Amino acid sequence: MGTWDIGPFDNDTAADFSYRVDEAPEEKKAEVLRASFREVIETGGEYLDSDVAVEAIASAALVAAQCPDGEPVTTSYGPKNPLPALPAELRPAAVEALDRVLAEPSELLELWEESDGEEWKAGVLRLRTVLSGA
């Protein structure tokens, strides 16, 4: 995975995921995000692949951007087209997915713990706070 910073879209996998979001018909964009959360949540206690986790974090950032106190996704690696209003029921799924990303066994968590893990984890927890407070 090519990663250049700690943000939700600061890696190749999330940038590719953004393209998938852009390519989805407007009425299917929420389902693309929902599917990324579902894929993470359904791993249960099994090993969570980093690419799957990265897509869920990117999805959570897109949902959080529409919440009160959410930060807009302004990076050039995020979706180019604005998202329609997303259903509020995505928020609890996003929180559950983020909780799973931050729980063992998680490849992405392991990778970040080898480098700048605390700063990355703080960013994921900020997303979680926005989503759970909305």
Side-chain angles (χ1 to χ4, degrees):
M1 163 176 77
T3 300
W4 50 89
D5 209 345
I6 63 168
F9 293 93
D10 293 340
N11 61 76
D12 291 331
T13 302
D16 291 344
F17 178 75
S18 293
Y19 179 76
R20 232 174 45 233
V21 172
D22 275 334
E23 291 299 304
E26 187 163 324
E27 68 275 6
K28 298 287 186 187
K29 291 186 189 296
E31 184 52 39
V32 172
L33 306 183
R34 184 178 289 110
S36 74
F37 299 142
R38 191 177 316 116
E39 191 170 3
V40 166
I41 293 165
E42 289 177 354
T43 64
E46 296 174 23
Y47 193 71
L48 178 60
D49 179 77
S50 66
D51 288 344
V52 174
V54 161
E55 290 181 1
I57 292 170
S59 294
L62 294 171
V63 174
Q66 293 188 4
C67 294
D69 299 323
E71 295 182 23
V73 175
T74 58
T75 176
S76 61
Y77 299 103
K80 306 293 184 241
N81 304 316
L83 294 178
L86 297 169
E89 74 245 13
L90 288 177
R91 295 171 186 170
V95 169
E96 189 175 355
L98 293 178
D99 287 345
R100 175 61 192 93
V101 168
L102 294 175
E104 293 291 341
S106 170
E107 181 182 23
L108 188 62
L109 179 63
E110 289 172 12
L111 291 169
W112 278 109
E113 286 179 342
E114 293 172 2
S115 61
D116 200 4
E118 290 307 310
E119 192 175 351
W120 169 81
K121 191 183 289 186
V124 174
L125 290 172
R126 275 192 302 277
L127 281 177
R128 189 193 186 289
T129 298
V130 168
L131 290 159
S132 62

